[in-house]
Amino acid sequence: MSDTTPRLIATIAQLREELRTVRGAGRKIGLAPTMGALHEGRLSLVRAAKAECDCAVVSIFVNPSQFGPNEDLAKYPRTLDADLALLAGCGADLAFAPSNEEVYRAGHDTWVEVGSVAEPLEGVFRPGHFRGVTTVVLKLLNMVQPDAAYFGQKDYQQALAIRRMAADLDLPAAIRVCPTVRESDGLAMSSRNRYLSAAARQRALVLWKSLQLADKLVRQGECCAPAIATRMRELIETAEDARIDYVALVDPETLQPVETIAGRTLAALAVRIENTRLIDNCMLMAGG
Ligand code: AMP
């Protein structure tokens, strides 16, 4: 593992120049797209890229088109120096941090819209979000042209929409999905956790506890999805000020609700604690 700060690149032209040499030497390229504010969850994608490929590229770009008008774009943390220091410790070779103008040049007017898997869950509460995500990810894939690109299971629906796009548009990169990285008490790592007060950070554990409850109920033989969802909601509502956007038990490929748990079922939830919107999910296995 190298401990050198990755080379910082701001333009597409410079990125292509660097990668031409890498590709010419027959080296495999891995891309981990991020919005910066790196933590162990996002860094795990870089580590996976470095483990599988010769050259790990990390993009750091807070993509305006995936934020709704009332979302936290303006206050989204931007911590480039700290990010570069963290990347040095996980073997990243190139950090690509373009400006908004470099990514969305004047007159940009083309968008990628994935169909039904982008509609439920986050699609209901964040209209236009996935259109912004898939557009920027396709652009990043075209800029970097990696052999493989790495995404987190934490954003399950996002990874599914990207897999759908890659299959439908015949993209050559392999799409890899890496497990959710959690704090030691189970809270899924997220840049938004830093908005929580210490007391709210404690209350936020109800997300993970409710997923664990669902897992326990399924292991005990409960297969009625609405009954499990009710128990999860009740547990979440024990946290003062928790506001549930959704608690859903869905087919992991279509994201359509299931009535009966049979085989693999995704439990997914979005909850606001102290006005910070947190999401999490886990896979339930009947008979597993
Ligand atoms: P973001 O910067 O929020 O776009 O996240 C960049 C990538 O890191 C996405 O593919 C996320 O799914 C992934 N990611 C974020 N948090 C975690 C986590 N706790 N564990 C694993 N991957 C994560």
Side-chain angles (χ1 to χ4, degrees):
M1 189 185 289
S2 118
D3 234 345
T4 324
T5 307
R7 190 193 292 271
L8 179 62
I9 293 177
T11 68
I12 300 167
Q14 199 190 346
L15 177 74
R16 292 214 162 116
E17 186 56 38
E18 291 276 344
L19 291 176
R20 204 183 345 265
T21 316
V22 174
R23 215 171 278 112
R27 300 175 74 209
K28 277 179 71 178
I29 298 167
L31 168 66
T34 79
M35 299 205 297
L38 298 177
H39 50 67
E40 274 308 313
R42 290 167 179 177
L43 291 172
S44 72
L45 310 181
V46 182
R47 293 205 174 86
K50 192 61 185 177
E52 250 189 13
C53 304
D54 307 298
C55 174
V57 181
V58 185
S59 59
I60 297 177
F61 178 61
V62 182
N63 175 35
S65 73
Q66 71 188 67
F67 287 79
N70 300 318
E71 293 182 356
D72 55 353
L73 173 63
K75 72 164 185 170
Y76 198 86
R78 289 161 172 87
T79 57
L80 186 60
D81 289 342
D83 291 345
L84 292 174
L86 287 169
L87 287 170
C90 50
D93 297 280
L94 301 180
F96 177 49
S99 64
N100 283 352
E101 296 69 32
E102 183 73 2
V103 175
Y104 294 105
R105 289 179 298 279
H108 176 98
D109 200 18
T110 302
W111 299 96
V112 181
E113 219 153 342
V114 168
S116 63
V117 298
E119 285 165 10
L121 309 179
E122 293 298 292
V124 172
F125 289 89
R126 304 186 69 187
H129 171 67
F130 287 120
R131 175 177 119 127
V133 168
T134 43
T135 300
V136 83
V137 168
L138 180 59
K139 284 167 73 64
L140 290 166
L141 289 171
N142 284 333
M143 292 171 196
V144 175
Q145 298 181 27
D147 295 276
Y150 298 80
F151 301 89
Q153 161 104 20
K154 155 86 172 20
D155 297 274
Y156 184 96
Q157 189 175 14
Q158 168 175 298
L160 190 62
I162 289 165
R163 272 176 39 206
R164 183 77 268 151
M165 168 179 78
D168 292 351
L169 301 183
D170 308 300
L171 303 183
I175 304 297
R176 305 267 193 256
V177 182
C178 304
T180 301
V181 179
R182 299 180 179 281
E183 303 286 356
S184 56
D185 58 9
L187 184 69
M189 289 192 185
S190 163
S191 60
R192 294 194 167 108
N193 294 350
R194 72 182 71 191
Y195 301 147
L196 299 166
S197 66
R201 161 76 181 68
Q202 231 12 62
R203 296 200 295 281
L205 288 177
V206 288
L207 277 84
W208 172 234
K209 285 184 182 154
S210 74
L211 292 169
Q212 283 184 304
L213 172 64
D215 183 65
K216 187 178 94 183
L217 291 171
V218 169
R219 285 175 195 280
Q220 287 171 347
E222 176 64 82
C223 59
C224 172
I228 295 170
T230 300
R231 294 282 304 274
M232 293 173 72
R233 284 174 172 279
E234 284 168 359
L235 197 156
I236 293 165
E237 282 160 359
T238 63
E240 182 201 327
D241 87 354
R243 284 193 291 130
I244 296 174
D245 276 357
Y246 60 81
V247 170
L249 298 179
V250 297
D251 179 289
E253 294 302 321
T254 65
L255 302 187
Q256 292 306 306
V258 298
E259 283 296 309
T260 305
I261 313 276
R264 281 159 27 103
T265 300
L266 182 77
L269 40 79
V271 179
R272 288 169 202 270
I273 305 268
E274 209 181 49
N275 265 330
T276 294
R277 188 169 185 279
L278 303 171
I279 62 171
D280 202 350
N281 68 80
C282 78
M283 198 65 78
L284 305 175
M285 317 268 192

